Amino acid sequence: MTAPPPLSSNDLAKYFPARRDQPIKPGVFELGLCLGGTVSAGAYTGGVLDYLVEALDAWTADKERGVPEAPPHEVVISTVAGTSGGAINGAILLRAAGWEFDHGPSDDNPFFSSWTSGVDLMKLLSTAPDGDAIGLASVFNCASIDAQAAQTIAYEGRRLGSGGSPGQRSYLTDPLRLIMMVGNVTGLPYSIPMSGASGLSHDLVAHADFVRFALTVAGGVPNPPPSRPDEFPVVSASPLNWDQLQKASLATSAFPLAFRSRLLSRAMAVCGYRAIAVPPETLQDPPRVLQLIPKWDVLSAGEPNPRIANFVNVDGGTTNNEPLDAVRTSLAGLDGRNPRKPGEADRAVVLIDPFSDPEALGPHVPPSLAGLALPFIMSLVYQARYKPADIALAQDETVYSRYLIAPVGPVASDGSRAIGARAIASGGLGGFLGFVDRSFLQYDYALGRRNAYDFLKSHLALPEAANNPIFRSWTNDHLRDYRFTANGNNYLPLVPLMPRLRDTPPTLPQWPLLSEFPTALPNAIGARLDTVYELAKAAGQPDSWVKRAIMSSYLWLGWKFYLRGALHDGAVNAIQSALRQQGLMQ
């Protein structure tokens, strides 16, 4: 093949600036959203995003109507990066951005319906054909996931401005960029030349990958560059490239072994749009940005079309479960840093993560092969989560370039509050527990909305004494109506809640509690195990009929009298234990 030419210095500066020192627009505060991996806890993140859109809609609509109580400053969302369920929520945000829709628990709300009506454990245990999958592609049946993805991408709501939404969502940039993390099993091949006269090089394959999308937003703040060759452009009223967003959504959530892997195709030249900042020769020199150029001959080998590269992908959480750097560098540049001081801050990363609490230790005694599978996979996911320094900065009250939204439950009778995975119904079984019952997902979604209300009202703010220019347009009435006091200091909210929202917090239902273990689950687990067994047996048949007969006999005996029962009881016991540990079953 003819290798794509290297990027020019102008292209590198345009698409991969080392530092972005100027704000996206003078006097505007810019937000980038980092949506961590979730599995079924995506219902929580969906609730957070739903309320964020509702609050921004109400504020922007009041500004459009000239309501004097609405503070006139501007806040815009420019970049969203997500993994697994977080990336799915980013896709929902892009699809919903061009439409007015109901907020809260409504089937007209794509954030709610996508998480609470589509996928559940009974559907995942279906023994029906799994779409076009051939053989044993995954432990669970993914047909319901495919159906929900297609339904979400096809969503159309009401015309903007027809009800309570603004005529234009000017709090989004044009374009609004989405970066979806995927675990690229195929990989991108690179060769790193060594220094010296040996001529040796080190070959490696990178598996942490992503797919980029850019939504056109009418009336949005310009987000340079207006387009990039390495992203799929999407427009709300056009069908172009929404199928690519659907495919990427399925790829980023393909939890290894549990859900089947997904194929993604992209133009070969796009694979060259990777760059890194390298340290300069001296501290006085400016940073250098270098393009990462794949080994084009290796990448194109075996491809039927030399201009198209095909990749097998699994859950993005296996390589980057909380893509904070993707958001931070979009706001600051590859070697930049967002201003942290309260008087200078003009952009910030908002981390939305249902699993930001410390992870538990793994087994202390070597388990069986079956017992090692889940801890091993989860260790990969945990390793790909936020670095401790990232969480520390987000929780540091003196840092105003990074904020964190994580689950916080209501105050209990003894004054305590559950936080992190303990506060959400989906927190058990590595995030899979929410699929057991729809009420779990509904609760987590409602908690996400309530936590977002508290976050906007009391946390996403800057100290009034810092005199940040963002509030220069505020009147004394605005200061009086919206300031709040915490720890003896006055603060001003970046996204002010209009009185109709501020005075009516989202309601939170009672903690879901099952009276008994779901009666249909044991039989469904057994039936799915039988299906997996038959598919696995068919995939491993030898050529000789004699060997097939012998192998089938031994397999059947082992399956019938030991393995099936052990797996069945292990699965049922694990779910029962998780339900009790999470306080979801009497």
Side-chain angles (χ1 to χ4, degrees), residues 113-130 139-145 147-148 151 259 435-436 438 521 524 528:
S113 60
S114 295
W115 285 104
T116 65
S117 302
V119 180
D120 59 44
L121 189 53
M122 291 299 294
K123 293 176 182 176
L124 294 174
L125 293 171
S126 171
T127 58
D130 188 358
V139 171
F140 290 118
N141 187 309
C142 299
S144 61
I145 299 176
Q148 185 56 55
Q151 180 178 333
F259 303 145
F435 291 134
V436 171
R438 186 186 183 195
L521 266 185
R528 182 62 191 173

Side-chain angles (χ1 to χ4, degrees), residues 188-224:
L188 291 168
Y190 296 101
S191 182
I192 302 175
M194 300 296 182
S195 300
S198 66
L200 297 176
S201 63
H202 175 62
D203 291 353
L204 57 90
V205 177
H207 298 280
D209 203 357
F210 55 84
V211 187
R212 299 180 62 107
F213 296 87
L215 174 72
T216 297
V217 176
V221 171
N223 185 9

Side-chain angles (χ1 to χ4, degrees), residues 114-256:
S114 295
W115 285 104
T116 65
S117 302
V119 180
D120 59 44
L121 189 53
M122 291 299 294
K123 293 176 182 176
L124 294 174
L125 293 171
S126 171
T127 58
D130 188 358
D132 58 357
I134 299 175
L136 180 59
S138 59
V139 171
F140 290 118
N141 187 309
C142 299
S144 61
I145 299 176
D146 292 358
Q148 185 56 55
Q151 180 178 333
T152 300
I153 290 300
Y155 174 80
E156 292 187 5
R158 301 181 295 273
R159 177 179 54 83
L160 282 175
S162 58
S165 70
Q168 294 182 327
R169 287 197 166 113
S170 54
Y171 58 81
L172 303 175
T173 59
D174 181 31
L176 172 64
R177 293 195 153 95
L178 171 64
I179 308 170
M180 306 181 77
M181 303 296 148
V182 294
N184 187 336
V185 178
T186 307
L188 291 168
Y190 296 101
S191 182
I192 302 175
M194 300 296 182
S195 300
S198 66
L200 297 176
S201 63
H202 175 62
D203 291 353
L204 57 90
V205 177
H207 298 280
D209 203 357
F210 55 84
V211 187
R212 299 180 62 107
F213 296 87
L215 174 72
T216 297
V217 176
V221 171
N223 185 9
S227 64
R228 295 173 55 115
D230 59 338
E231 63 190 8
F232 291 102
V234 288
V235 180
S236 296
S238 167
L240 182 66
N241 288 329
W242 288 106
D243 62 330
Q244 299 296 332
L245 184 61
Q246 179 180 336
K247 293 175 183 177
S249 298
L250 294 171
T252 189
S253 57
F255 196 93

Side-chain angles (χ1 to χ4, degrees), residues 14 135 146 157 176 192 243 296 378 384 390 406 416 421 445 487-488 496 512 518:
K14 181 195 301 184
D146 292 358
L176 172 64
I192 302 175
D243 62 330
W296 297 114
M378 293 310 301
D390 295 330
S416 63
Y445 166 84
N487 301 321

Side-chain angles (χ1 to χ4, degrees), residues 40-41 43-44 115-116 121 423-429 432-447 509-516 518 521 575 578-580 582-585:
S40 65
Y44 173 84
W115 285 104
T116 65
L121 189 53
I424 53 176
S426 303
L429 288 180
F432 278 86
L433 194 58
F435 291 134
V436 171
D437 194 89
R438 186 186 183 195
S439 65
F440 300 171
L441 301 170
Q442 292 172 330
Y443 179 87
D444 291 352
Y445 166 84
L447 182 65
Q510 291 292 319
W511 180 255
L513 187 62
L514 302 181
S515 59
E516 61 180 1
L521 266 185
I575 297 172
L579 288 172
R580 291 194 178 97
Q582 205 70 9
L584 295 166
M585 190 173 70

Side-chain angles (χ1 to χ4, degrees), residues 28 62 66 151 218 227 318 349 429 474 545 582:
V28 171
D62 279 2
Q151 180 178 333
S227 64
T318 58
V349 179
L429 288 180
W474 279 37
W545 70 268
Q582 205 70 9

Side-chain angles (χ1 to χ4, degrees), residues 47-61:
V48 171
L49 291 178
D50 177 38
Y51 194 82
L52 177 60
V53 171
E54 183 177 7
L56 287 165
D57 271 1
W59 177 32
T60 305

Side-chain angles (χ1 to χ4, degrees), residues 225-579:
S227 64
R228 295 173 55 115
D230 59 338
E231 63 190 8
F232 291 102
V234 288
V235 180
S236 296
S238 167
L240 182 66
N241 288 329
W242 288 106
D243 62 330
Q244 299 296 332
L245 184 61
Q246 179 180 336
K247 293 175 183 177
S249 298
L250 294 171
T252 189
S253 57
F255 196 93
L257 304 182
F259 303 145
R260 55 189 167 95
S261 61
R262 305 289 179 159
L263 183 68
L264 293 178
S265 302
R266 67 191 75 171
M268 188 71 67
V270 166
C271 300
Y273 282 79
R274 304 287 189 276
I276 58 170
V278 297
E281 294 294 331
T282 68
L283 294 177
Q284 290 72 36
D285 293 334
R288 293 190 302 149
V289 173
L290 298 180
Q291 180 187 4
L292 297 175
I293 301 177
K295 298 180 68 175
W296 297 114
D297 57 335
V298 175
L299 191 60
S300 61
E303 293 287 4
N305 184 339
R307 290 187 291 273
I308 301 295
N310 294 288
F311 301 95
V312 174
N313 300 270
V314 296
D315 194 318
T318 58
T319 54
N320 191 346
N321 202 38
E322 271 93 7
L324 183 141
D325 276 353
V327 185
R328 184 188 62 79
T329 56
S330 292
L331 271 60
L334 289 183
D335 193 56
R337 194 178 80 174
N338 296 314
R340 296 178 179 177
K341 295 181 180 179
E344 301 172 1
D346 57 15
R347 68 201 83 168
V349 179
V350 176
L351 292 65
I352 306 176
D353 184 20
F355 297 111
S356 62
D357 44 330
E359 65 190 80
L361 293 178
H364 293 272
V365 177
S368 65
L369 178 61
L372 181 63
L374 183 59
F376 173 69
I377 292 174
M378 293 310 301
S379 69
L380 298 180
V381 174
Y382 292 144
Q383 191 68 22
R385 284 183 173 167
Y386 298 127
K387 302 176 182 67
D390 295 330
I391 296 295
L393 286 173
Q395 294 176 333
D396 189 336
E397 295 181 358
T398 66
V399 173
Y400 293 91
S401 63
R402 197 171 295 185
Y403 296 84
L404 171 68
I405 308 179
V408 178
V411 178
S413 57
D414 62 358
S416 63
R417 304 186 77 166
I419 60 172
R422 294 294 302 173
I424 53 176
S426 303
L429 288 180
F432 278 86
L433 194 58
F435 291 134
V436 171
D437 194 89
R438 186 186 183 195
S439 65
F440 300 171
L441 301 170
Q442 292 172 330
Y443 179 87
D444 291 352
Y445 166 84
L447 182 65
R449 283 179 52 83
R450 181 54 187 255
N451 285 176
Y453 166 85
D454 294 332
F455 175 73
L456 297 179
K457 185 173 181 287
S458 306
H459 297 284
L460 185 62
L462 298 174
E464 181 179 1
N467 294 316
N468 191 292
I470 189 72
F471 300 113
R472 191 167 290 159
S473 59
W474 279 37
T475 65
N476 288 332
D477 289 342
H478 294 141
L479 295 173
R480 181 196 65 220
D481 292 342
Y482 292 100
R483 70 159 59 94
F484 65 91
T485 302
N487 301 321
N489 297 313
N490 289 332
Y491 291 86
L492 304 178
L494 286 166
V495 178
L497 294 177
M498 296 299 95
R500 59 187 179 277
L501 294 181
R502 183 184 61 205
D503 300 337
T504 311
T507 58
L508 188 63
Q510 291 292 319
W511 180 255
L513 187 62
L514 302 181
S515 59
E516 61 180 1
F517 189 77
T519 56
L521 266 185
N523 286 339
I525 291 172
R528 182 62 191 173
L529 284 172
D530 288 337
T531 298
V532 170
Y533 165 72
E534 292 297 335
L535 290 171
K537 186 176 70 171
Q541 292 286 355
D543 295 334
S544 167
W545 70 268
V546 175
K547 292 181 180 178
R548 285 200 301 271
I550 295 173
M551 188 186 77
S552 295
S553 298
Y554 279 106
L555 281 176
W556 183 84
L557 289 171
W559 177 255
K560 181 71 174 178
F561 293 103
Y562 173 71
L563 190 56
R564 184 188 188 278
L567 291 174
H568 177 274
D569 293 347
V572 171
N573 292 337
I575 297 172
Q576 287 178 333
S577 177
L579 288 172

